[in-house]
Amino acid sequence: MPEDFDCTVTDWEYIYGRCRAVAEDVRRAEFEPDVVVALARGGWFAGRCLCDFLGLDDLTSLKMEHYVGAAETGEGASVRYPLSEEAVAGKDVLLVDDIADTGESMRRAREHVAEYDTGTVRTATLQLLDTSEFEPDFVGERLAEWTWVVYPWNFIEDMVELVAGAMERDGGGSYTADDVRALLDEYHDVGAIELEVAQPNRMAEVLAEMERRGVVSFDGDGYELTTK
C-alpha cells in the first residue's frame, strides 16, 4: 500500500443501505439461506442486518487472519477461529463480509465452510473493489477505484492509524485539530467537510483516544507523536 492513498469515510445510514441492497440481491436470486456466517470482524454488522432483512435467526461467525508469505511476495488468509460443524452442517449458508479487496479472505472462508457437510454456500459483500480476484455471489456496491473504506464500526481504529501515519510522514511537530484535518486531506483526500458529514464532531474524540493510548501527547497548543 502506498504512503499516500485515498480514503472514504462512511456513515451508518449509507452502510445500512448497502446491507439492504445485498438482501434484495439475495431475494432476487431466490436463495433461502438457513444460516448467516459473518466474517469477523467487519462482517458482523452486515450479518446481523441481513438476518433482519431475510427473516433469519441463525447467525454465527468465522474469524480470518491475513499473513504475508516468507518471501513477502503477497497477502494470504488463514482461518484463525474455525466454525463448529454443528453451526453449518446440513444448512444452506450465506457467508458475508464488509468488503472484498483482494478477495482472499472470502475465498478461503468459503473453502473452509465447504469442508463441512453443508448445503449450498453462497457469498456476499457490502462493497467490492475492482482489485478483488474473487467474485462474490451478492454485492451491495461495486467500487471502480481503489479506496480505503473507513466504516463506522472501526472509525476510531482506522483514524488513529491514519492520523499517526500522516503526522509521521509530515515530519512531526505540534498539530492542532485543524492541522490534523488538513493532513488527512493532503495524504488521504479526506476533506474536512466530508469527514464532518460522515462522522460529525469526532476529531476531538479521536485525538483524545490517541492521547489515552499514548500515541500522541498534548503540549498545551497541539498534539505531538509520542516515540516509544
Side-chain angles (χ1 to χ4, degrees):
M1 181 183 296
E3 287 190 346
D4 301 348
F5 53 91
D6 290 351
C7 294
T8 301
V9 182
T10 60
D11 61 23
W12 289 108
E13 183 177 1
Y14 185 80
I15 294 304
Y16 188 67
R18 307 287 68 73
C19 293
R20 179 182 285 109
V22 169
E24 291 171 351
D25 206 8
V26 172
R27 285 193 290 262
R28 279 193 298 270
E30 299 183 351
F31 179 52
E32 300 284 347
D34 301 302
V35 58
V36 173
V37 176
L39 267 63
R41 295 172 297 165
W44 283 343
F45 178 77
R48 181 60 186 90
C49 290
L50 286 173
C51 284
D52 188 37
F53 284 127
L54 298 174
L56 301 172
D57 59 9
D58 203 352
L59 171 65
T60 190
S61 180
L62 171 62
K63 173 65 174 175
M64 307 296 296
E65 66 179 3
H66 286 274
Y67 62 88
V68 178
E72 297 190 354
T73 56
E75 285 191 351
S78 61
V79 178
R80 184 173 183 181
Y81 300 131
L83 287 168
S84 67
E85 184 174 2
E86 181 182 2
V88 295
K91 299 177 182 179
D92 291 336
V93 177
L94 178 61
L95 185 66
V96 61
D97 203 0
D98 52 1
I99 192 167
D101 183 348
T102 66
E104 181 65 15
S105 289
M106 184 68 74
R107 182 194 65 78
R108 180 67 190 96
R110 186 182 65 177
E111 290 177 350
H112 174 70
V113 173
E115 291 171 3
Y116 298 94
D117 186 20
T118 64
T120 301
V121 178
R122 294 191 180 179
T123 56
T125 186
L126 300 185
Q127 294 178 306
L128 178 66
L129 291 165
D130 64 356
T131 52
S132 177
E133 297 181 2
F134 180 87
E135 179 70 24
D137 297 294
F138 310 110
V139 177
E141 179 182 31
R142 295 176 183 272
L143 302 177
E145 296 183 4
W146 193 93
T147 184
W148 181 268
V149 181
V150 180
Y151 292 106
W153 50 83
N154 61 299
F155 177 78
I156 297 290
E157 180 180 306
D158 277 4
M159 291 302 292
V160 168
E161 183 175 350
L162 292 170
V163 169
M167 284 181 171
E168 184 176 5
R169 290 195 293 278
D170 195 59
S174 179
Y175 299 91
T176 66
D178 285 341
D179 293 334
V180 170
R181 292 186 182 92
L183 290 179
L184 290 173
D185 193 7
E186 178 180 355
Y187 290 110
H188 301 301
D189 198 31
V190 177
I193 294 176
E194 175 191 350
L195 183 63
E196 287 304 311
V197 169
Q199 295 291 331
N201 304 315
R202 299 199 67 187
M203 184 53 68
E205 179 186 0
V206 170
L207 291 170
E209 181 59 18
M210 291 180 72
E211 186 177 12
R212 188 190 72 83
R213 297 183 189 183
V215 179
V216 298
S217 60
F218 185 66
D219 63 7
D221 296 316
Y223 296 87
E224 296 182 4
L225 280 176
T226 302
T227 56
K228 294 185 177 182

